[in-house]
Amino acid sequence: MPLTLAVPAAVLAGLALLVAFPPYGLWPLAPVGVALLGAAAHRRRLRAGAGLGFLTGVTLFAPLLEWTSLHTGWLPWALLCLLQAAFVALLGAGATWVSPLADRHRSAWPVLTGVLWVGQEALRDRIPFGGFPWGRLAFSQDTSPLLRLAALGGAPLVTFAVALAGGILLTVAWRDWRRQAGLWRPVAGLTAAAAALLAAGPAVPAGVRGAGDTVTVAIVQGNVPRLGLDFNAQRQAVLNNHVDATLKLAERVAEGAQERPDLVVWPENSSDIDPLRNPGAGYRISQAADAVGAPILVGAVLLGPGPGQVRNAGLLWRPGSGADVGQVYTKRHPVPFAEYVPLRSIARRVSAEVDRVRSDFVPGDRPGVLDAGAATLGDVICFEVAYDGIVRDTVTGGAQLLVVQTNNATFDVAEARQQLAMVRLRAVEHGRYALMASTVGVSGFVTPHGRVDGATGFNTAEVVVRQMRLGDGRTPATVAGVWPEAALAALAVAALAGAAVARRHREVTPG
């Protein structure tokens, strides 16, 4: 492809990938974006391939992550986008590197594309500082037939399927094929492969694994006084909002207008004061739990364990007895530069905004498996839903329901909908009912088929009550764990090594 076409193709690739994600949700464009980047990078020099990949990455991540700049300024957003785009640059260079293999074995081009995308995401999900999995191809497929593949191999298999479909588009459209005799055979074969891929998703069984009893769960979205980093500047206001909303729910229960819930879920940071150390905050939560007659999963910032340290936690508060200190989950993956600042002295030279994080959050060391009495919960907090292992650990630990507590008050509705798409994938992946409880929205319940029920508005106060069925079985994805991703990433490494051999052979072959 001439460079005058390759550059626009790389930009269009980023735009196509962008609109595949919520809030746009045009999932069929994700394979188109993959195909455009593959076409732009094919047969180029490595630096050119990397440059085109970087261009695609910037075009994708700058608007996709725009919500990170709403209240922190442009610099952290720009640095994050450039870092994520650098991984797509590696992908572009990889696509260029394997060009000899794609030319020699044209039918293998879709598989090469698929494994390279999985390999790129495997790196980006882990480095640096634990990685940042936002923008994985799998998370663009929340309304796609391919979503059900998550039950077989999790997010990596869905990413592979999307990239494979993009590779099929690329292989069919590549201009050299139009000059060859017998064109209809490879085109027909690849078209049939694409159709089979789309049909494979709905054919995967979905639903609650080991279905058991049903429980009634209430999500309380109390809202905050104001959006932004100072959402909790007014002391105890966020807590009061959630207490008052729960008391209104209790009134409806007492009147017989609403079935009494077995569990009430409050979002992350719903208690803006440590209720274990502040008697007034603890009293208000007990007031709500006693009135509704059900345990409340409270999202709170807890002080300690050491001086100057804090924990982002979900703790169970039972009616009549108060805080159950044996049922507390501490967030295992605090967000770097948001909940803690690595290399603070160096980071301060880049931006003084890092000092907004006055206390570093301490990570927990146990999966979020909590016994709520009526159900065993698999609790993850905010961005943790994007990390495969953190969610899976709760299911293998015995979770019957998946719970995502989040605080979207410092972001916007686009970020909230992107996060809800991840919850949908996790519900399918592990065959569990799931819910997302947010301070400001979007909150909602998700079935193991990936359907959303009772979704709330943004920046509103709402209470939603639904019945959820408990599950205790395991899907193939739960059993397989990290192995599908490891196998596909290993194939990517093998492809890069095979391309090195092919390049060496090409250099020494006359002509």
Side-chain angles (χ1 to χ4, degrees):
M1 179 179 287
L3 193 61
T4 53
L5 294 179
V7 171
V11 173
L12 287 174
L15 292 175
L17 292 169
L18 170 67
V19 298
F21 288 91
Y24 312 102
L26 301 178
W27 63 264
L29 290 182
V32 174
V34 171
L36 286 170
L37 176 57
H42 190 58
R43 294 178 181 168
R44 311 210 83 86
R45 294 180 181 273
L46 287 179
R47 283 186 296 179
L52 292 167
F54 187 77
L55 186 58
T56 296
V58 170
T59 307
L60 165 63
F61 286 111
L64 184 72
L65 303 178
E66 188 267 342
W67 43 265
T68 62
S69 70
L70 292 177
H71 306 288
T72 60
W74 66 271
L75 185 57
W77 161 72
L79 292 175
L80 178 61
C81 294
L82 293 176
L83 176 61
Q84 301 309 302
F87 287 96
V88 188
L90 288 176
L91 175 66
T96 295
W97 181 255
V98 300
S99 295
L101 287 182
D103 287 335
R104 182 175 298 179
H105 309 286
R106 193 60 59 90
S107 60
W109 203 354
V111 175
L112 291 171
T113 304
V115 297
L116 287 177
W117 272 92
V118 173
Q120 174 263 147
E121 289 187 358
L123 284 176
R124 191 164 63 83
D125 297 352
R126 291 168 172 81
I127 57 174
F129 308 117
F132 188 70
W134 223 271
R136 297 167 75 178
L137 288 182
F139 296 151
S140 69
Q141 302 297 298
D142 58 319
T143 58
S144 162
L146 299 178
L147 181 67
R148 287 201 184 182
L149 294 176
L152 299 179
L157 183 60
V158 179
T159 285
F160 175 75
V162 175
L164 182 71
I168 291 173
L169 289 176
L170 172 61
T171 308
V172 169
W174 190 251
R175 63 171 181 253
D176 285 1
W177 284 60
R178 295 198 294 267
R179 300 175 183 173
Q180 295 178 0
L183 170 68
W184 66 272
R185 292 187 182 90
V187 170
L190 289 168
T191 303
L197 182 63
L198 290 174
V204 176
V208 181
R209 296 300 170 122
D213 298 334
T214 60
V215 294
T216 303
V217 182
I219 295 174
V220 174
Q221 178 180 303
N223 212 355
V224 299
R226 63 183 68 86
L227 298 176
L229 293 175
D230 61 345
F231 71 94
N232 60 352
Q234 184 179 341
R235 183 175 176 82
Q236 203 169 309
V238 179
L239 172 59
N240 287 337
N241 283 356
H242 287 82
V243 170
D244 293 343
T246 306
L247 291 177
K248 290 179 181 178
L249 170 63
E251 291 176 2
R252 297 185 63 224
V253 171
E255 294 167 356
Q258 173 64 62
E259 180 183 356
R260 186 181 303 277
D262 300 301
L263 171 70
V264 177
V265 179
W266 289 4
E268 176 191 24
N269 301 152
S270 50
S271 179
D272 45 2
I273 299 174
D274 184 346
L276 300 181
R277 303 202 182 197
N278 186 289
Y283 170 77
R284 291 240 65 195
I285 299 174
S286 291
Q287 182 185 15
D290 293 346
V292 77
I296 302 175
L297 180 62
V298 179
V301 175
L302 305 180
L303 301 178
Q309 295 178 328
V310 289
R311 290 166 289 154
N312 192 349
L315 68 151
L316 212 62
W317 208 279
R318 300 187 188 275
S321 58
D324 186 344
V325 294
Q327 300 299 321
V328 179
Y329 169 61
T330 299
K331 187 176 183 180
R332 296 168 64 192
H333 197 299
V335 180
F337 304 103
E339 293 178 312
Y340 76 99
V341 180
L343 309 174
R344 186 180 286 266
S345 60
I346 298 174
R348 189 181 291 115
R349 297 177 186 176
V350 178
S351 173
E353 295 293 323
V354 299
D355 289 328
R356 285 178 176 265
V357 184
R358 291 185 290 272
S359 300
D360 287 337
F361 281 75
V362 178
D365 57 4
R366 293 185 301 169
V369 181
L370 303 176
D371 182 4
T376 302
L377 310 180
D379 187 27
V380 297
I381 297 176
C382 200
F383 286 10
E384 288 186 322
V385 70
Y387 295 88
D388 298 343
I390 291 179
V391 180
R392 179 178 177 271
D393 286 348
T394 69
V395 179
T396 57
Q400 298 170 307
L401 298 176
L402 297 179
V403 175
V404 180
Q405 296 176 287
T406 187
N407 174 23
N408 306 110
T410 56
F411 304 122
D412 63 11
V413 67
E415 183 272 345
R417 294 197 178 280
Q418 291 162 16
Q419 199 170 33
L420 185 59
M422 301 176 195
V423 180
R424 298 176 74 171
L425 183 140
R426 298 307 180 194
V428 174
E429 179 181 11
H430 298 294
R432 293 290 190 277
Y433 274 85
L435 66 86
M436 185 167 91
S438 170
T439 47
V440 298
V442 176
S443 303
F445 295 89
V446 181
T447 73
H449 296 85
R451 292 191 294 268
V452 178
D453 184 26
T456 63
F458 190 77
N459 197 19
T460 61
E462 300 185 43
V463 175
V464 189
V465 183
R466 293 290 188 275
Q467 284 195 333
M468 305 179 75
R469 187 171 293 278
L470 305 181
D472 56 13
R474 298 186 180 184
T475 64
T478 308
V479 174
V482 73
W483 289 110
E485 182 182 48
L488 292 169
L491 287 175
V493 173
L496 295 172
V501 174
R503 283 173 170 271
R504 188 178 301 113
H505 177 75
R506 183 177 62 181
E507 289 172 359
V508 300
T509 299

